[in-house]
Amino acid sequence: MRSSSTPVPLRSTVEDLSRRALLAAPFALAACDRFASAQTAPRHVPPLKSFAPCPVGTCVMTGQIRDPQWVDLVSTHFSQLTPEWEMKMEYILQEDGSRRWDAPDRIGAFARDFGLRLYGTTLIWYAQDHPWFNALPRARFGAEYDRYITDVVARYRGKVVGWDTVNEPVAEDGNGLRDSVWSRNLGADGYMVRAFQTAHAADPDAVLFLNDYNLENNPRKGATYLRLVERLLKAGAPIGGLGTQSHLDIEIPAGQTAAFFRELAQFGLPIHVSELDAGLRSDRRIDLRSDAERVRQQTARVAELTEAFVALPPAQRFAFTIWGVRATDSWLRRGDKDDGKDSPVLFDDAGNATPMFDAVAGAFRG
């Protein structure tokens, strides 16, 4: 899950539009001025969840559930919610080792009241360099690790359908695994096997996912992730599903995402597109692409990913989650990242459907 680091882009001068992108092109061209000026003309679009071949998710923070427009969009188009960060250790675990449950409980109640599935993220993440765990004597570390996972999973047993059990374990460049407080104390693979086993004991019915990002963007990282899955399964980890965050680089070569999904599907496990977005901005010092060209690249890459997901056997389509409802809800539009122009999700600042919505909807309909 992206909150502080941006996926490393892979650049390509080759850009082939997919069939879905061509179908969506009229919408994309009509939206170019929208991208440039953030002015939109509302148009009716059908509820995405009404024709999606799987649960359609988005992320939530408690402040958003007081926003009537956000609530209307979520209740109309989505069927699953993931807490963006208020179910992470950073929120739940306090400096004295106690637990804080107010925000995740509120999100759970909101999901229940609106008939939405609740998906949990994240139990163990390399970035959780928590001072309470750092202060533990080594003899207590494993027991407290187990206790934390058990406390969280057991509290939401029967309420959460699945968990990002281990999040982002693969190194940024794909060369091996990340170093973390967990790997240093429990072993590089050992902390992951233990997390899955402990979470499964706390809720045998929850689907437990290994989740990571840049798997489509960086083939080397995707390959390392696939080898890790194979290794953990052989070690007895009860992995129930595979999560790919899908923060897409719109300039990756056509066909690269579809190829990765074919590899991912070979395990036969449910797959979760867990945090989809596709920013229109670039890291280039000089970017001569027109707004229209950026939108065409975005819709082509999003269409390819959605088509690859829809092509999976029904049992492998766990959920398709968009990381943000409106453009202004996206992590890509926060702080110094926000130039007021990016449109990386399905709805714009005003809550109107974007060309990316059309790309996803077109692939869902087939």
Side-chain angles (χ1 to χ4, degrees):
M1 83 230 8
R2 301 292 80 218
S3 58
S4 59
S5 58
T6 304
V8 176
L10 300 177
R11 304 302 180 203
S12 173
T13 57
V14 179
E15 183 62 35
D16 297 323
L17 297 178
S18 73
R19 180 174 63 89
R20 294 295 169 216
L22 290 172
L23 291 174
F27 293 118
L29 292 171
C32 293
D33 290 338
R34 180 161 70 201
F35 169 54
S37 65
Q39 300 298 314
T40 64
R43 62 186 175 90
H44 173 74
V45 291
L48 195 60
K49 67 183 181 182
S50 69
F51 56 89
C54 63
V56 183
T58 191
C59 58
V60 56
M61 294 188 292
T62 51
Q64 292 166 333
I65 65 180
R66 296 189 297 269
D67 179 342
Q69 184 190 64
W70 185 92
V71 172
D72 181 64
L73 287 168
V74 168
S75 60
T76 299
H77 291 282
F78 298 96
S79 52
Q80 178 174 295
L81 280 182
T82 302
E84 186 166 350
W85 73 275
E86 289 164 310
M87 203 175 262
K88 296 180 184 177
M89 184 183 292
E90 298 92 304
Y91 185 90
I92 291 175
L93 183 61
Q94 303 304 290
E95 289 187 6
D96 63 356
S98 63
R99 280 49 163 155
R100 181 184 181 190
W101 306 110
D102 58 328
D105 283 355
R106 284 187 64 200
I107 291 171
F110 177 86
R112 179 199 64 219
D113 293 346
F114 281 83
L116 303 166
R117 295 204 319 181
L118 182 61
Y119 183 83
T121 190
T122 179
L123 295 175
I124 298 298
W125 183 26
Y126 80 92
Q128 293 162 330
D129 195 18
H130 200 286
W132 187 79
F133 267 104
N134 284 331
L136 286 174
R138 192 174 184 90
R140 280 184 59 197
F141 191 94
E144 293 297 339
Y145 180 85
D146 294 345
R147 187 166 74 91
Y148 175 79
I149 294 171
T150 299
D151 285 354
V152 177
V153 175
R155 185 176 184 87
Y156 299 103
R157 179 171 178 165
K159 301 174 183 177
V160 167
V161 296
W163 288 95
D164 288 331
T165 307
V166 174
N167 189 52
E168 301 176 4
V170 179
E172 182 78 16
D173 62 1
N175 186 21
L177 303 179
R178 294 184 186 271
D179 176 67
S180 68
V181 65
W182 318 121
S183 64
R184 290 192 295 271
N185 282 274
L186 300 172
D189 288 3
Y191 85 89
M192 291 185 259
V193 174
R194 188 164 182 159
F196 279 99
Q197 291 175 339
T198 304
H200 181 70
D203 185 356
D205 295 326
V207 185
L208 305 180
F209 283 78
L210 182 71
N211 192 50
D212 217 317
Y213 74 99
N214 262 4
L215 303 179
E216 301 92 352
N217 297 339
N218 183 343
R220 184 177 188 181
K221 187 167 185 177
T224 301
Y225 174 89
L226 295 170
R227 291 193 298 270
L228 175 63
V229 172
E230 185 175 16
R231 200 163 66 241
L232 294 179
L233 288 171
K234 287 182 179 179
I239 297 173
L242 306 177
T244 176
Q245 291 181 21
S246 300
H247 297 288
L248 291 182
D249 176 0
I250 65 174
E251 296 185 66
I252 63 174
Q256 187 164 297
T257 294
F260 175 73
F261 265 75
R262 288 192 292 271
E263 294 290 328
L264 197 63
Q266 291 182 12
F267 290 99
L269 293 169
I271 293 171
H272 186 192
V273 172
S274 60
E275 302 183 18
L276 171 62
D277 54 31
L280 292 165
R281 293 201 303 270
S282 173
D283 292 334
R284 301 179 188 178
R285 293 183 62 185
I286 300 175
D287 190 346
L288 300 179
R289 291 174 301 164
S290 67
D291 293 344
E293 177 61 17
R294 296 185 198 188
V295 172
R296 281 193 289 266
Q297 289 177 317
Q298 179 196 56
T299 53
R301 297 290 70 77
V302 169
E304 179 184 327
L305 178 136
T306 311
E307 289 174 351
F309 181 84
V310 171
L312 296 169
Q316 287 189 265
R317 300 181 207 139
F318 178 82
F320 194 88
T321 292
I322 315 299
W323 208 240
V325 179
R326 300 159 301 193
T328 46
D329 299 316
S330 170
W331 69 282
L332 294 171
R333 289 283 303 273
R334 292 178 191 155
D336 60 4
K337 296 183 177 69
D338 187 12
D339 60 5
K341 296 179 180 180
D342 203 358
S343 186
V345 290
L346 303 189
F347 298 93
D348 66 13
D349 296 9
N352 298 310
T354 65
M356 186 168 155
F357 179 99
D358 300 307
V360 171
F364 277 173
R365 284 178 163 145

